[in-house]
Structure formats: C-alpha cells, structure tokens
Amino acid sequence: MYDWLIVGAGYAGSTLAERLASQRGERVLLIDRRDHIGGNAYDHPDEAGILIHKYGPHIFHTNSERIFQHLSQFTEWRPYEHRVLAKVDGKLVPIPINLDTVNTLYGLDLTSEELVEWFAQRAEPVEEVRTSEDVVISAVGRELYEKFFRGYTRKQWGLDPSELDKSVTARVPTRTNRDDRYFGDTFQAMPKDGYTRMFERMLDHPNIEIRTGTEYADVKDAVPHRRLIFTGPIDDYFGFRFGKLPYRSLKFRHETLDQEWLQPVAVVNYPQTEDYTRVTEYKHLTGQEHPKTAVTYEYPSAEGDPYYPIPRPENAELFKKYEALADAQDEVWFVGRLATYRYYNMDQIVGQALATFDRIQERLPLAA
Ligand code: FAD
Ligand code: UDP
C-alpha cells in the first residue's frame, strides 16, 4: 500500500514526492506516461553529446530565495542571464524593447529620458488594460506592437492579442534603459549538470518508487494507494465532463549542426517572418563547449501534447467548473501548470508544490 500515488514527474509531482518522502517518511509511487522524469524541463544529450531540452528552452529565474534554496539542495548552478534578440525589419534587435531596440530600428540616438517622451507620444491610452493588445499599445504604441507582438502572438497562440488576457504579453516588459536581459529576477541560473540530473537527485530516496511509461488510467485501480496527487490536465482527470479545456501545443524541430555556433544569443524570436516562433541554441544556456551546435525550432500547434493553458476569460470560466469538482475531492490534490490551468514558470510551480505540502501538513498532521 502506497501512502501517495503521484501522477506526473515534472516539478509539481517531483517536488511533492521529495517532500512527502523525506519530511513525512511516507511511501510514494511517482508515475509518468512519458519514458522519463522532469516533465517539460527534461534535458538529455543529443546525437553529438550536446545537452538539449526536449520540450523547448527552459531558463530558470525567480525572485524567491526560498524556492532557489529549495532547489539548491539538488543542484549546483551556473550563473546565466538570458538574452533574446528579435528579427524585426531584417535586423536583430533586443527584446524586451529597450533603448537600443528603438535606436537601432529607427536609426536614432535617443537618451533614456528622450525615449520616455518618444514612447509617450506613441502610446495609445486605454481606459482599462484588459487584453494582451492593450498592454503593449498603451506602453509603446501600435507600430512597435505590430512589429514585435502581433505576429508572434498570433503564431504562438493562434489568437489575436486582443483575444488574450493581458497577463500573456505583460510577461515581457518595456525598458527605457539599455538592460537587455530577458528577465529581471534576483536569481537567474541554470542547473550545472542539467535539469534531469537535478530531478534524479531530488527523487533519489528509498521511499520513492518511480515508474515511467505508466499511464494513470492503467494503474489507478491496480495500485493500492491512500491518497492521490494529480499534475496532468484537470479536464482529462474528470473525463472531459464539461468539454475540453484548450491547451496550446508546440512541435519541436531539433537539429545538430556541423558548425560551432548558429546565432549570437541563446534565443532569437521571429515575430514577422517564418512559421516557427523562435530558435534556441543550447550551448549559450549551458556553457557547454563543443565543435558542433544544437538548436530547436518551435512550431506552435493546436494539436499535440498540452503545453500552455490559454489565458482568456471563457477558458477561466470552464476551468472554474473543473476546479469546483477538484475542490470536492477529499483525498486528491491537484497541482501544477496543467492541473491548475495556470501559465506558470518553473519556480512558480515549485512554489505551488511547496504551498501544497504545507497544506497537507496542516490537514494531515503526523501522529506525534
Ligand atoms: P509538467 O512538466 O507538464 O509535468 C506534468 C507531467 O505529468 C508530464 O510529464 C506528463 O507526461 C505527466 N502526465 C500528465 N497526465 C498523465 C497521466 N494521465 N498519466 C501519467 N502521466 C501523466 N518555465 C520557466 O521557468 N522558464 C522557462 O524558460 C520556461 N520555458 C518553457 C518553454 C516551453 C516550450 C514550455 C512548454 C514551458 C516552459 N516553461 C518555462 C514552463 C515549465 O515547463 C513549467 O512551469 C513546468 O514544467 C511545469 O511543471 P508541472 O510539473 O506542472 O508540469
Ligand atoms: N511575445 C511576443 N513577441 C516576442 C516575445 C513574446 O509577442 O518577441 C508575447 C507572446 O504572446 C508570448 C508572450 O509574449 O506568448 C510571452 O512570452 P514568453 O517569452 O514569456 O513566452 P514563453 O517563453 O512562455 O513561451
């Protein structure tokens, strides 16, 4: 008899497995339908031995010291600040839009103060910032919105920015200085030996049994367990009772190239051209030295594995119906990006899992 069956070996499931095993001494069976642990953060060597991310580029960043320290039990870090360029009007320019972006694109020599004024002249006042279009046009105006955001967003989501919550494009700030880092967080680093190695260390505990290549439906009745943690899609768990929750998918084209480098930074975004959204070159992220290079092209798709919940009001409504079912389940906890239908980064999922663990401790105190 297992104390816990945990479905999904990504951040949500693995963080909880480790806590339950090490802090409560409970027996955990952790399953994943994929043939590996790590969920979407899984990395592995490609045919040439270059470390790549199977499900697209994963860059760790957080403002939470607690979350950073928690993961630091399982990995050392390589300091890394992420930088992204966008191919706009034939030029490679920094995104988030900053002083250099505008000066390069328009052949100007503005100062930061002048750029504030330049944006103010172009920004379109919006009564209530509600959508992903509002966020950008109210900050930088329609022209830069169209160059950097409209096409990329339509490709990535299959929706116009006006149909998406503001939270989506609000992930990308606008700057008036020359800071060209993609993230502004206090902690920015990559796990020194990769994500998979970090998960292996996290799950290396005698109370944790791992079964990959295992589908929940195939074991739920066969494996005796007292409680369940589910980190897969919540609509799937409830048999799509209220209809399918939309998730956006991606197809990844991984290539190993017979050249040392392809591009000047880890990620280049394509908001105006190409069918793919972005190209990632991993050696920039990992610091690995190799005469060849490995890259991934991301092609957004409606079909395929669920990667992104789609933040818009009608989807939030549908999710609430599933959430109400979830709340009524006593011995089942729903955690993670797919089970809580939240567009969360890795650190936020770790935070959510640690908060769930605290709730479990409150609800199910261990006998003294
Ligand atoms: P997942 O990693 O999706 O794990 C859920 C697991 O459950 C999966 O492995 C799945 O196979 C398994 N599962 C589902 N249903 C079943 C079932 N019925 N039976 C058995 N197993 C099941 N975050 C960042 O912080 N920085 C980044 O740079 C970043 N880049 C990203 C790039 C892409 C392309 C994507 C898609 C995401 C990115 N993220 C990034 C987000 C990050 O991937 C997630 O926050 C994190 O992986 C979510 O962890 P999770 O455990 O909730 O879900
Ligand atoms: N975005 C854009 N152009 C860019 C970068 C981002 O339009 O060059 C928008 C797009 O809608 C994207 C969202 O901002 O989905 C969030 O970008 P982020 O890089 O955070 O996406 P993720 O890494 O989660 O795919």
Side-chain angles (χ1 to χ4, degrees):
M1 170 69 101
Y2 295 95
D3 296 305
W4 297 88
L5 172 61
I6 303 185
V7 181
Y11 275 95
S14 299
T15 299
L16 276 157
E18 188 280 332
R19 288 290 86 186
L20 293 165
S22 76
Q23 304 301 301
R24 292 173 63 91
E26 294 179 317
R27 281 194 69 207
V28 177
L29 176 62
L30 176 64
I31 66 164
D32 203 299
R33 55 160 65 122
R34 291 169 169 166
D35 64 1
H36 58 75
I37 57 169
N40 285 338
Y42 174 71
D43 55 13
H44 67 101
D46 76 346
E47 65 202 39
I50 304 171
L51 190 68
I52 68 167
H53 299 178
K54 181 166 185 176
Y55 307 99
H58 279 70
I59 296 107
F60 187 81
H61 56 102
T62 190
N63 282 317
S64 163
E65 175 149 19
R66 181 186 180 213
I67 291 167
F68 190 69
Q69 292 309 340
H70 183 76
L71 291 176
S72 301
Q73 300 174 86
F74 316 111
T75 187
E76 290 176 44
W77 300 94
R78 166 182 195 258
Y80 169 76
E81 291 185 321
H82 192 43
R83 289 183 166 78
V84 179
L85 295 172
K87 186 89 181 256
V88 170
D89 298 347
K91 297 190 172 106
L92 282 179
V93 292
I95 171 91
I97 294 171
N98 71 5
L99 181 60
D100 288 319
T101 310
V102 172
N103 280 338
T104 306
L105 218 47
Y106 292 92
L108 298 170
D109 195 17
L110 302 176
T111 61
S112 284
E113 294 70 36
E114 288 165 341
L115 181 57
V116 173
E117 182 53 28
W118 194 90
F119 281 152
Q121 282 163 7
R122 287 160 181 79
E124 289 180 18
V126 175
E127 210 162 285
E128 185 202 353
V129 176
R130 209 170 35 79
T131 72
S132 269
E133 177 183 274
D134 299 341
V135 173
V136 185
I137 63 162
S138 64
V140 299
R142 198 161 287 277
E143 189 168 305
L144 287 174
Y145 161 74
E146 281 176 2
K147 286 186 195 301
F148 285 85
F149 286 89
R150 186 152 185 265
Y152 187 105
T153 300
R154 290 175 75 106
K155 241 195 295 195
Q156 168 73 8
W157 300 94
L159 292 169
D160 191 79
S162 61
E163 300 171 292
L164 278 169
D165 282 1
K166 62 181 174 189
S167 58
V168 176
T169 54
R171 290 166 61 89
V172 184
T174 305
R175 304 207 179 100
T176 51
N177 57 19
R178 301 192 62 195
D179 184 357
D180 63 346
R181 296 170 311 156
Y182 203 67
F183 307 113
D185 301 55
T186 320
F187 303 95
Q188 307 191 28
M190 296 290 290
K192 200 155 155 254
D193 306 315
Y195 290 101
T196 302
R197 192 71 196 96
M198 178 177 78
F199 278 91
E200 284 168 357
R201 292 201 193 99
M202 197 184 298
L203 296 174
D204 180 14
H205 193 285
N207 291 348
I208 302 175
E209 184 182 327
I210 302 168
R211 287 192 210 161
T212 52
T214 301
E215 175 67 50
Y216 172 58
D218 296 339
V219 297
K220 69 179 184 146
D221 298 324
V223 170
H225 56 281
R226 284 160 54 181
R227 300 190 176 91
L228 178 72
I229 290 170
F230 189 82
T231 77
I234 189 168
D235 56 339
D236 187 353
Y237 180 87
F238 290 110
F240 308 103
R241 199 175 304 179
F242 303 125
K244 277 199 145 197
L245 262 175
Y247 295 90
R248 190 70 171 161
S249 192
L250 293 168
K251 306 276 180 245
F252 301 100
R253 176 158 63 93
H254 302 291
E255 284 187 0
T256 309
L257 305 175
D258 207 359
Q259 61 196 70
E260 196 174 358
W261 294 105
L262 177 70
Q263 56 191 35
V265 289
V267 171
V268 175
N269 285 359
Y270 290 86
Q272 293 174 321
T273 57
E274 318 305 338
D275 292 335
Y276 44 84
T277 48
R278 59 187 177 190
V279 180
T280 300
E281 185 172 26
Y282 293 100
K283 290 195 300 173
H284 291 287
L285 302 177
T286 58
Q288 188 175 357
E289 288 177 19
H290 199 286
K292 296 187 181 188
T293 197
V295 295
T296 297
Y297 298 77
E298 290 172 58
Y299 296 84
S301 156
E303 315 296 321
D305 278 1
Y307 292 122
Y308 292 85
I310 305 177
R312 55 192 313 222
E314 52 265 61
N315 300 350
E317 281 304 305
L318 182 54
F319 169 68
K320 275 201 194 121
K321 292 169 81 175
Y322 283 111
E323 193 181 32
L325 292 181
D327 288 344
Q329 309 267 314
D330 255 355
E331 302 293 355
V332 190
W333 274 258
F334 293 84
V335 195
R337 175 148 144 150
L338 304 171
T340 63
Y341 204 69
R342 287 192 172 79
Y343 186 1
Y344 272 181
N345 296 324
M346 297 183 278
D347 65 316
Q348 295 171 296
I349 298 297
V350 173
Q352 198 188 52
L354 293 176
T356 304
F357 179 70
D358 291 343
R359 277 206 307 283
I360 290 171
Q361 293 278 64
E362 273 168 33
R363 276 244 312 260
L364 307 168
L366 288 175

